[in-house]
Amino acid sequence: MLQSVPFRYADDVRNGRIPVGKRIRQAVDRFYSWIENAEADGFSLDHAKGMHIIDFFPRFLNHTKGKMAGKPFELAPFQQFTLYNVFGWIEDRRSVRRINTVYDKRAKKNGKTAEMAGLSLYCMSFDLEMEAEAYVGATKEEQARLCWEQAKMFIESPMANPALQKMGFYVQQRKIGFRRTNSKMMPLGGDSKTQDGINAHLSIIDEYHAHKDDTVKENLESSSVQRLQPILYHITTAGVNVQSACKRYEDSVIEVLEGRNIDNHLWIMIHDLDVEDLESENGWENQDIWAKANPLLGQGLDIEGIIKEYTKAVNQPSKIPNFKTKNLNMWVDAPKVWIPNEVWMKNRVKEIPMEVFDKYGCFGGLDLSSTTDISALVLLSEPDEEGDRYLKPYFFCPKDTIDFRSKEDRVPYRFWSDQGFLIATPGNVIDYDYIEDKIRETYHSHRVNRIEADQWNASQLAVKLLDQGINISYFSQAIGSISFPTKQFEKLVYEGKIKHDGNPVLSWMLAGCITYSDANDNIKVHKGNSQRLGRRIDGIVASINALAGSLTPPEQGNKSIYDNPDVNFEC
């Protein structure tokens, strides 16, 4: 018994042979405390039952994908320790499981989905519960199906162990069944057509951090009241909402770990970094502490994969919150804007040295709005000896609508115009002649190499400028084209390499920017919900266009290379 993996894991944790955080050490201390007080508290530890589920995995389950495909599913020591406790502890008076609730938090790619799929198959069969119902509860049924699909592959994959089908498992379109106990496993999302009529034996709350509330959880929990020994299993990674239902629940279970509250039927495994780790010299960037949040490291999870994600985050700082939550299991109250104001204002200079434009040259970015909105022309200097670039924006709006726009958008257009931050053109629509004049004025005096324009609404002006010998090209706003310069703009801002004079219009526009991404990790800025608040982002789009021109090799013809849909860029 003492030589079994669960006990050896506990001993290794207690003696510091495995790098774990405070919460796992507390879980192990609680395990030993339970053993010491078991008889007095009316509980016992059935070693055979605890080991039975551990033996089920390699005996009946094979890995179905990746480098381990076709090999028996051996649980890692931390997984064995968890499931050993869940199934080994017995309430003596009723001869049922002691533990009915689990909170298990670990970083991404640490075996959550496959383990929960295997747990479901075990509870449908060897738990000997007639007509057992196992549900994977998630915010969306599509998410819940990930675990369900893995259970399906354990049964049907060419790499699967045939023993599962021989013993009575079968798969239908939305249900996995087990004939001997007439049990079933189904995905359940907050968007599922019905959540009525369920009678859960096993309820898996998948990626609990993503649940906006406890609707799915409470429905599953209340459905299990007639079951003799149900399990409610929370499995999650940390998230970006510190006010979420998951974070509030985690705070409550920590009270149990700390000994301030008592719950003899709750098992807790929180694979976290320690506060002291984050306060050390390198903080969360210290690779030596990453194993605390990634207990599967070296046992199927390679450090190289995490380093790759870390590199992406360092190169694109807006990804840092995602890296911290997904790869380091840290709760982060992520910024709701793309580049926070405090980062932007660190790059502020008292005055733009216009001589840098004359000395190093620059590129222009043009974003023309409708004739009643704000249009933007931005010049971005080429890097100086220190690698610094300087932004010089020009904004245009109709003079007659300034007061209306001020009320509508709730920003001081009149003040900005009076201070020279905004060029008000006569009339109730923008007079594009003023923009043309400004381009012509700055093109030669500031050594503009080329102007990159959003083609929308710019065709007529572009033709006029080309006729005057001004080099202007259309820059595609498609996400695959705009992504690389957007990422570079963000990177340069965080590195302090894009300087500005605190222009309030440009700062206001930046505050309205958020990003969205596609399946290829391309990103693009947009207004998000700030659009209904009257926010504009034209100046930032123009700035990114200008940077794109700088990053583009000398063009052939009137096109940027980013316009080629076959060209891929990564940051």
Side-chain angles (χ1 to χ4, degrees):
M1 180 174 175
L2 295 180
Q3 294 305 309
S4 65
V5 171
F7 273 86
R8 293 208 310 269
Y9 173 82
D11 186 65
D12 286 343
V13 168
R14 187 167 60 172
N15 288 285
R17 290 188 288 269
I18 297 177
V20 298
K22 175 182 178 180
R23 302 306 175 197
I24 296 301
R25 292 194 298 274
Q26 289 176 326
V28 167
D29 289 343
R30 193 164 175 247
F31 168 67
Y32 284 116
S33 176
W34 277 15
I35 292 175
E36 184 178 344
N37 299 307
E39 184 176 355
D41 293 340
F43 302 106
S44 58
L45 183 59
D46 189 323
H47 182 68
K49 287 186 176 180
M51 293 303 298
H52 193 269
I53 185 172
I54 293 171
D55 295 336
F56 167 81
F57 275 76
R59 185 175 178 185
F60 291 96
L61 306 180
N62 285 349
H63 289 283
T64 61
K65 54 191 172 185
K67 59 187 178 183
M68 299 292 290
K71 297 181 180 179
F73 190 161
E74 295 279 357
L75 291 169
F78 79 94
Q79 295 171 311
Q80 294 193 33
F81 177 70
T82 301
L83 294 181
Y84 178 84
N85 278 280
V86 173
F87 286 86
W89 282 103
I90 304 299
E91 183 183 325
D92 293 335
R93 184 176 63 84
R94 297 191 301 150
S95 297
V96 297
R97 263 193 299 269
R98 172 182 190 171
I99 294 170
N100 55 36
T101 305
V102 181
Y103 183 75
D104 187 339
K105 179 169 147 251
R106 55 184 107 148
K108 184 180 179 181
K109 298 298 182 183
N110 278 270
K112 299 191 298 292
T113 301
E115 183 183 344
M116 292 301 100
L119 171 64
S120 299
L121 298 179
Y122 182 86
C123 287
M124 293 167 64
S125 53
F126 286 102
D127 227 11
L128 303 178
E129 177 82 10
M130 293 304 299
E131 299 184 32
E133 297 178 17
Y135 292 95
V136 183
T139 55
K140 303 288 185 182
E141 188 171 310
E142 183 181 8
Q143 169 66 32
R145 285 187 69 89
L146 296 177
C147 181
W148 186 90
E149 289 284 349
Q150 179 60 72
K152 171 187 174 182
M153 295 309 293
F154 279 146
I155 300 167
E156 291 191 336
S157 169
M159 298 295 180
N161 187 330
L164 288 178
Q165 291 194 37
K166 289 180 181 178
M167 66 189 289
F169 280 101
Y170 63 93
V171 178
Q172 295 179 343
Q173 186 174 1
R174 290 194 70 254
K175 183 181 83 171
I176 294 173
F178 183 67
R179 292 186 178 88
R180 296 189 183 186
T181 59
N182 196 28
S183 298
K184 66 180 180 181
M185 175 189 181
M186 297 180 67
L188 183 71
D191 59 346
S192 295
K193 291 182 179 179
T194 179
Q195 295 188 18
D196 299 326
I198 61 179
N199 188 357
H201 172 59
L202 170 66
S203 302
I204 298 170
I205 310 302
D206 189 32
E207 294 300 358
Y208 188 23
H209 73 89
H211 290 233
K212 64 180 181 180
D213 54 38
D214 278 335
T215 300
V216 174
K217 171 183 171 179
E218 289 173 353
N219 188 34
L220 286 168
E221 198 169 19
S222 62
S223 77
S224 67
V225 293
Q226 296 298 322
R227 293 290 185 180
L228 186 62
Q229 47 181 8
I231 298 176
L232 178 68
Y233 204 118
H234 308 78
I235 186 79
T236 191
T237 298
V240 294
N241 182 2
V242 296
Q243 303 300 322
S244 65
C246 179
K247 182 59 167 65
R248 292 195 300 270
Y249 184 72
E250 180 178 308
D251 290 343
S252 72
V253 304
I254 287 175
E255 292 294 297
V256 176
L257 281 180
E258 295 278 357
R260 290 185 287 272
N261 288 335
I262 297 175
D263 188 339
N264 286 319
H265 303 283
L266 169 67
W267 188 250
I268 308 160
M269 294 289 283
I270 300 176
H271 298 272
D272 270 358
L273 307 182
D274 291 325
V275 174
E276 295 79 11
D277 296 328
L278 303 179
E279 293 175 348
S280 64
E281 182 177 355
N282 294 319
W284 60 271
E285 298 183 79
N286 180 4
Q287 297 180 19
D288 294 339
I289 65 174
W290 290 356
K292 294 182 178 182
N294 294 274
L296 206 59
L297 266 180
Q299 302 169 83
L301 177 64
D302 297 327
I303 188 69
E304 288 77 14
I306 302 178
I307 293 174
K308 182 178 179 181
E309 295 303 311
Y310 166 75
T311 302
K312 289 181 182 179
V314 171
N315 290 337
Q316 186 184 340
S318 61
K319 285 185 173 293
I320 289 176
N322 186 69
F323 176 78
K324 286 181 175 180
T325 55
K326 297 295 188 292
N327 299 103
L328 298 184
N329 209 24
M330 296 170 59
W331 284 101
V332 175
D333 196 7
K336 294 180 175 58
V337 297
W338 173 38
I339 298 174
N341 184 63
E342 58 269 21
V343 174
W344 178 248
M345 296 311 289
K346 285 181 181 178
N347 296 359
R348 181 179 182 179
V349 294
K350 187 175 181 180
E351 186 177 354
I352 298 294
M354 297 307 296
E355 63 272 12
V356 300
F357 293 86
D358 304 329
K359 183 176 181 180
Y360 301 102
C362 67
F363 283 81
L366 182 64
D367 190 70
L368 297 180
S369 66
S370 67
T371 55
T372 59
D373 215 333
I374 297 181
S375 290
L377 168 67
V378 175
L379 302 183
L380 178 68
S381 69
E382 290 287 82
D384 62 15
E385 292 89 346
E386 303 297 325
D388 293 336
R389 299 169 180 262
Y390 291 85
L391 277 173
K392 181 61 179 177
Y394 303 92
F395 297 103
F396 306 84
C397 75
K399 184 175 183 179
D400 292 354
T401 63
I402 280 183
D403 292 330
F404 171 76
R405 283 292 180 188
S406 294
K407 293 179 181 178
E408 187 80 5
D409 297 347
R410 290 175 285 182
V411 288
Y413 284 114
R414 174 69 64 184
F415 174 77
W416 289 342
S417 175
D418 292 343
Q419 295 297 311
F421 298 117
L422 193 60
I423 299 172
T425 68
N428 58 7
V429 296
I430 294 177
D431 186 343
Y432 283 171
D433 287 344
Y434 279 74
I435 300 177
E436 181 185 346
D437 290 344
K438 181 58 68 174
I439 292 174
R440 192 167 51 244
E441 171 194 326
T442 57
Y443 185 76
H444 296 292
S445 63
H446 296 324
R447 288 185 55 199
V448 178
N449 293 299
R450 185 173 65 251
I451 295 172
E452 297 284 357
D454 179 354
Q455 186 171 1
W456 188 85
N457 227 27
S459 299
Q460 186 174 352
L461 179 58
V463 170
K464 294 174 68 176
L465 292 171
L466 285 168
D467 287 343
Q468 299 173 59
I470 292 175
N471 190 4
I472 181 169
S473 66
Y474 297 135
F475 183 82
S476 172
Q477 302 299 294
I479 190 169
S481 302
I482 201 80
S483 177
F484 178 70
T486 302
K487 291 179 179 179
Q488 286 295 310
F489 184 85
E490 176 188 322
K491 181 174 182 287
L492 291 170
V493 170
Y494 271 90
E495 290 175 347
K497 295 301 182 182
I498 289 186
K499 306 296 185 182
H500 60 91
D501 61 0
N503 183 295
V505 184
L506 191 62
S507 298
W508 170 68
M509 289 180 171
L510 180 65
C513 289
I514 63 174
T515 62
Y516 68 90
S517 58
D518 65 11
N520 296 317
D521 204 29
N522 294 311
I523 69 168
K524 181 178 180 177
V525 298
H526 70 122
K527 301 174 187 176
N529 291 332
S530 64
Q531 184 170 2
R532 62 183 175 82
L533 300 177
R535 287 290 176 91
R536 308 284 182 263
I537 64 171
D538 312 78
I540 300 302
V541 172
S543 300
I544 293 170
N545 287 350
L547 179 61
S550 174
L551 298 174
T552 306
E555 82 272 358
Q556 297 177 355
N558 190 32
K559 290 286 183 181
S560 294
I561 63 169
Y562 299 103
D563 294 331
N564 184 349
D566 297 323
V567 176
N568 293 318
F569 298 93
E570 293 184 3
C571 179

